[in-house]
Amino acid sequence: MEYDFSKLNDREFETLGASIIEKILTKRVETFKSGRDGGVDGRFWIGKEKEGIIQCKHYISTPYTTLISKLKSEELAKVKKLNPAKYIFITSKKLSRLNKQEIKKLFHPFIISEADIYGYEDLNSFLSEKDNQGIVERNYKLWITSTSVLDLIYNNAIKGRSESTIREIEEKAYKYAITENHRKGLKILEDNNVVIMTGEPGIGKTTLADNLALYYAAKGYEFCDIEENISEAESIFREREKKNILFYCDDFLGSNLYDAINNKRDSHIVKFINRVRKDDSKKFILTSRTTILNKAFSLSHRFQNGNIRENEFLLRVENLTNVDKAKILYNHIYHSNLNDVYLDKIYQDKRYKVIIRHRNFNPRIIEFVTDSGRVGHIPPEEYWKYIIKSLNNPEDIWADYFQNQTDDCVRALTFLTVYNNGKISEEELRRSYNTFLNIHNVNLGDQTDKSFEAVRKLATKSLLNRNQIDEDKFEYVLFNPSIADFVLGSYSDDSNLISNIIKSLENEISIDYLQALSGLGKKINSSNLKRIQENLFDFFFERKLNEEDWDFLILLSFLDFFNEKTNKRIERFLNALIEADSPNGNRLWELLIILTEFEPQIEFKDFDFLHDFIEDVSDEDSLRELFNFIDTYNIEDEHILFQAQTLIENYLGSIVDNNDLDVDYSKHINEYYYPEGYPEYDIDLNGIESEVQESLDYYLDGFNESVLERIDFDMTRFVSNLDVESMATRFFESYEPDYERDYDGGHYSGSSYEDDIDAIFERS
C-alpha cells in the first residue's frame, strides 16, 4: 500500500504523526495548537513525571543533507533544552539505515533506539496494516490518495466523461480544507440522498461538491457525471438498480435554464431527484448559482411543486469562521509553490488577517492570488497590491490573466467554448478556430506556432479543460464557470466579435445560447442583439436558404423578429419554407410563433409544410402552441389533426408512464403482507385510475379545448385504455413500507480554535 504524504500540509502531517504514535504506544498523546512549538508536536507521559516528546518534519522533497543540517542548526538545541526522557522523530522523507544511525547519534541520548525514528517507509508500513485503517480514514487527504482507494475510485467511474471528471477532482483535492460546510453537506446527503449546493460564484460550491463526490467514490459508489443529461442518468439508474451510484451535476441548469424549461426537461429533473431521494443506494450532488436556481423556481411550477429546494445547501462566506478561512488560505499558500519573497508579503505585519477578514473573501480569489503560474509575472513589491485589488474588485479576477497573459489565439478558443454553451468537441473547436482566424481580425503577435494543436495546449488547464469522452474523442469545457461570466460581462458590447464567434461555430447551439443570454439579461442589450442578428443574416442567409437548413433559419429569425432590417428576408425564408417540397425540422414551437407574427404578410394556401415539423414533437410548449395555431387558423388538414391526436395521447401516456403526475400508488394498497417471505398486495386499481384521470384533467387545463374536441379526445376513454395494472405492478416491485429510518449520520470531532489564526500561520 502506498500513501502520498505530499498531499498533506505540514499541520496535517503533524496530526498524522501524533495519531500514529498514540496508536503504537497505546498512550494518550497531547497535541498543541499550531505555531512555534519549541520542538514539540506531541507529548506523552512515561509514568507520572517523565515526559516523552514527538517531533514531525514534513520534508518530503527536501534533500537529506538539508534535513540533517536543519536538525543540527535548529532542532538539537531545542531538544537539549526540553531534556525529554524519550524523543520520537518522524519525517515524510525516505531514510536509509545509515540515515537513521546518523539521526540517532545526533540526538543521543534522547532517541533511545532507531525504532523511535520513523521515515517514509515506516509510516507506509504502519498505515498499511488493517488494524490502522481508522487513522487513515480520519485523515481525509491521506485516505483519498492511497493507492487502494484511488484504484477503487477510478475503477468505479463510468467510462468516458465521468472517468475524466473524477480524475480531475482527485488531482485537485490536495488543496482542499475540510470545514464545517463539508460536514453539513455530508449530513444532508446521508439524510436526503440529494444535495444542491447553491451560492454566489466563487464561494466554493464546486470544490465542496467535488470532495463530497470523492468521499462517496472512495466508499465504493460508482461515479456518474451526467452534465444535466437526465436521460443518460435514468438509463444508468435502471441498468444498475441494485448498485451504489453517485450522480454528479456541476453548474445545474446554468445557461441551459430556458432550454430545460421550454423543452420540459424540468419535469424529468424533478422526477429524477425525487427518485434518488427514495433510494438509499443512490446519491445525487448538484451545484447551482443562487440566481439561476431562483430564476428556475420563478419560471417552473414543477420546481416549485417538486419541493426540490428542501435539498438546497446555501453556501455563504458568512458561514465560514475565520479559522475556516485561515485553513483555506494556509492550505493554498502551502501548496502554492510561491517563492518566499512573495509569501513574505502575506506574512508581513500579519497581513493574512486582512485577507481573512476582507468582506470579499472568497475561495476562488484565494486560489487565484496564490497561484504561482498566474502571479509569477507580478514583481514581488507589487504582489500585495495585486491581492488587495483582487479582493476589492473580484469581478476582475480573470481580467489580468485573460487580457495580459494570453494572446488572441488562446482567447479565441475560450470565446468559442463559451458561446458553444461552455463545452465543445475537439473536432468542432478545431474547425471553428480555423474559421475564426480567417474571418476575425486576430493579432497573431510573435512568430510562434498558432496551429490549433499548439494553442489548445496553452489554453488547457488555464482557461479550458480537455476531457476524454471516448477512446479517441475529446471534449473541451471551461476551466471554471466564472470564465463565462467574465467573458459575457467584458465583451458583450462587441457585436462584431460575438457575430464572428457565432459565424465560426455555425451551429444551432450557439444561436440558442445567444437567445438564452438575452433572456437572462447578460448585458446583451436589444440594440446589440439587432446588430448581431443583422450581421448573421448577411453572412448566413443565402447559403442556409439554398441548403434548406430550416431549423438554423428559424433560430436566426427567432433572435429578434421585430428587426425591420431583417423582416423582408424572414418573410422570404417563410415563403420558401411554405413552398418547399416536404420541408422538415425540429423547431416547431419557434416556427409557429414566427408564423403567427408574420401571418398578415404570409398567405397560407395549405399547411402541408408543417407535417414533418410536427412528427416528433414531445414537449408540452410545442403541443400547446400547435393546438393554439390549429384553432387560430381553423386548420382542417386531416393529417395534422391526426398528428395532434397522436401526439397528445403519446405525451400524456409518457407522463403517466413516468409518473410525472406524482401519483401516490402507496395510497391505493388495501393490504400488504408477506406470505412465505414474498410480498403481495391488494391493489385498488379503480382508485389509481381515478387519481390518474383527475391529475390529467388538471394537467390539461390551459390546452385549447376546441381543438381537443375537434380531434375527438376523450379523457375517460384514454385513461381506460391505459395499462394501469402494469404501471402499478412496476411501482410495487420496488415498494417498501416507509418505516422511520434510525440513522446516525456519523460523528465528526474537531476543535474550533477561534484564537489560533496567528498560530496557524506561525513560521518555524
Side-chain angles (χ1 to χ4, degrees), residues 620-653:
E620 183 181 330
D621 277 0
S622 294
L623 280 174
R624 288 181 184 273
E625 198 63 41
L626 174 62
F627 276 47
N628 291 337
F629 193 82
I630 291 171
D631 187 41
T632 300
Y633 298 103
N634 195 27
I635 295 176
E636 300 290 347
D637 185 310
E638 289 186 7
H639 185 71
I640 290 178
L641 295 178
F642 176 76
Q643 284 179 301
Q645 181 183 28
T646 302
L647 289 174
I648 192 66
E649 289 180 353
N650 289 343
Y651 181 70
L652 295 179

Side-chain angles (χ1 to χ4, degrees), residues 444-465:
L444 296 177
D446 54 34
Q447 298 303 309
T448 56
D449 187 359
K450 303 300 180 184
S451 68
F452 172 77
E453 287 299 324
V455 175
R456 68 98 174 156
K457 290 177 183 177
L458 294 175
T460 302
K461 296 302 180 185
S462 58
L463 293 167
L464 303 177
N465 283 335

Side-chain angles (χ1 to χ4, degrees), residues 189-405:
L189 266 175
E190 288 297 325
D191 290 348
N192 297 350
N193 297 332
V194 176
V195 63
I196 304 174
M197 308 287 181
T198 64
E200 296 309 309
I203 190 60
K205 300 182 296 293
T206 298
T207 301
L208 178 55
D210 285 351
N211 283 275
L212 292 180
L214 207 55
Y215 173 86
Y216 278 99
K219 287 291 188 181
Y221 279 71
E222 293 188 35
F223 177 80
C224 177
D225 178 9
I226 63 176
E227 284 196 338
E228 297 185 37
N229 189 341
I230 298 299
S231 297
E232 176 188 354
E234 287 173 337
S235 174
I236 290 170
F237 198 121
R238 286 192 297 271
E239 291 170 6
R240 296 169 166 83
E241 191 169 355
K242 302 299 182 184
K243 292 184 178 290
N244 290 338
I245 303 176
L246 177 106
F247 297 99
Y248 172 94
C249 180
D250 190 24
D251 200 19
F252 172 51
L253 295 175
S255 57
N256 292 326
L257 171 61
Y258 283 86
D259 174 58
I261 292 170
N262 287 339
N263 290 309
K264 294 299 162 281
R265 289 193 297 118
D266 53 344
S267 64
H268 291 290
I269 292 167
V270 170
K271 180 191 170 211
F272 187 74
I273 286 174
N274 288 329
R275 187 177 178 188
V276 172
R277 287 178 64 174
K278 297 172 184 175
D279 189 330
D280 288 339
S281 68
K282 308 295 185 291
K283 305 291 179 189
F284 196 4
I285 300 174
L286 309 94
T287 71
S288 179
R289 283 167 282 180
T290 303
T291 51
I292 293 293
L293 197 62
N294 288 341
K295 192 73 174 177
F297 272 83
S298 70
L299 293 172
S300 170
H301 71 273
R302 290 176 179 82
F303 286 154
Q304 297 162 20
N305 296 340
N307 297 322
I308 66 169
R309 206 142 205 178
E310 293 175 3
N311 311 292
E312 183 179 4
F313 181 19
L314 176 61
L315 302 184
R316 302 176 186 268
V317 171
E318 305 92 87
N319 293 347
L320 294 172
T321 67
N322 283 340
V323 172
D324 284 338
K325 295 177 185 178
K327 289 178 182 176
I328 291 169
L329 177 58
Y330 182 80
N331 214 29
H332 278 81
I333 287 174
Y334 184 86
H335 292 290
S336 67
N337 295 321
L338 280 171
N339 190 291
D340 280 351
V341 71
Y342 287 91
L343 298 182
D344 288 343
K345 302 302 179 184
I346 295 176
Y347 278 89
Q348 180 182 325
D349 299 325
K350 300 181 179 179
R351 283 169 166 171
Y352 48 80
K353 288 186 176 180
V354 176
I355 299 173
I356 290 165
R357 292 168 181 165
H358 196 286
R359 69 184 186 281
N360 290 332
F361 180 95
N362 176 300
R364 184 177 296 157
I365 297 175
I366 302 307
E367 180 182 1
F368 269 71
V369 299
T370 58
D371 187 328
S372 58
R374 289 190 169 88
V375 305
H377 71 291
I378 300 171
E381 61 272 16
E382 297 294 321
Y383 182 48
W384 181 249
K385 288 182 181 177
Y386 169 78
I387 292 174
I388 295 302
K389 181 183 176 184
S390 298
L391 286 165
N392 289 339
N393 302 290
E395 66 276 6
D396 295 336
I397 197 156
W398 284 101
D400 177 68
Y401 184 79
F402 195 79
Q403 295 168 344
N404 299 325
Q405 299 183 58

Side-chain angles (χ1 to χ4, degrees), residues 271 649-666 668 681 683-693 696 718-735:
K271 180 191 170 211
E649 289 180 353
N650 289 343
Y651 181 70
L652 295 179
S654 70
I655 66 173
V656 172
D657 196 48
N658 293 328
N659 200 20
D660 290 338
L661 300 170
D662 288 327
V663 173
D664 187 356
Y665 287 97
S666 62
H668 303 287
Y681 325 91
I683 305 170
D684 179 11
L685 293 177
N686 290 331
I688 294 175
E689 199 168 288
S690 296
E691 186 177 345
V692 167
Q693 180 160 339
L696 284 175
F718 172 76
V719 173
S720 66
N721 287 332
L722 293 173
D723 190 353
V724 174
E725 186 170 7
S726 293
M727 292 187 294
T729 300
R730 283 204 308 274
F731 173 82
F732 289 118
E733 280 175 354
S734 59
Y735 174 75

Side-chain angles (χ1 to χ4, degrees), residues 593-627:
I593 291 174
I594 297 170
L595 286 171
T596 302
E597 182 63 33
F598 279 83
E599 185 269 334
Q601 295 92 348
I602 304 294
E603 293 185 9
F604 300 123
K605 297 176 184 176
D606 57 52
F607 295 93
D608 291 353
F609 67 95
L610 289 176
H611 291 174
D612 285 336
F613 279 91
I614 295 172
E615 193 65 38
D616 297 317
V617 167
S618 59
D619 64 282
E620 183 181 330
D621 277 0
S622 294
L623 280 174
R624 288 181 184 273
E625 198 63 41
L626 174 62
F627 276 47

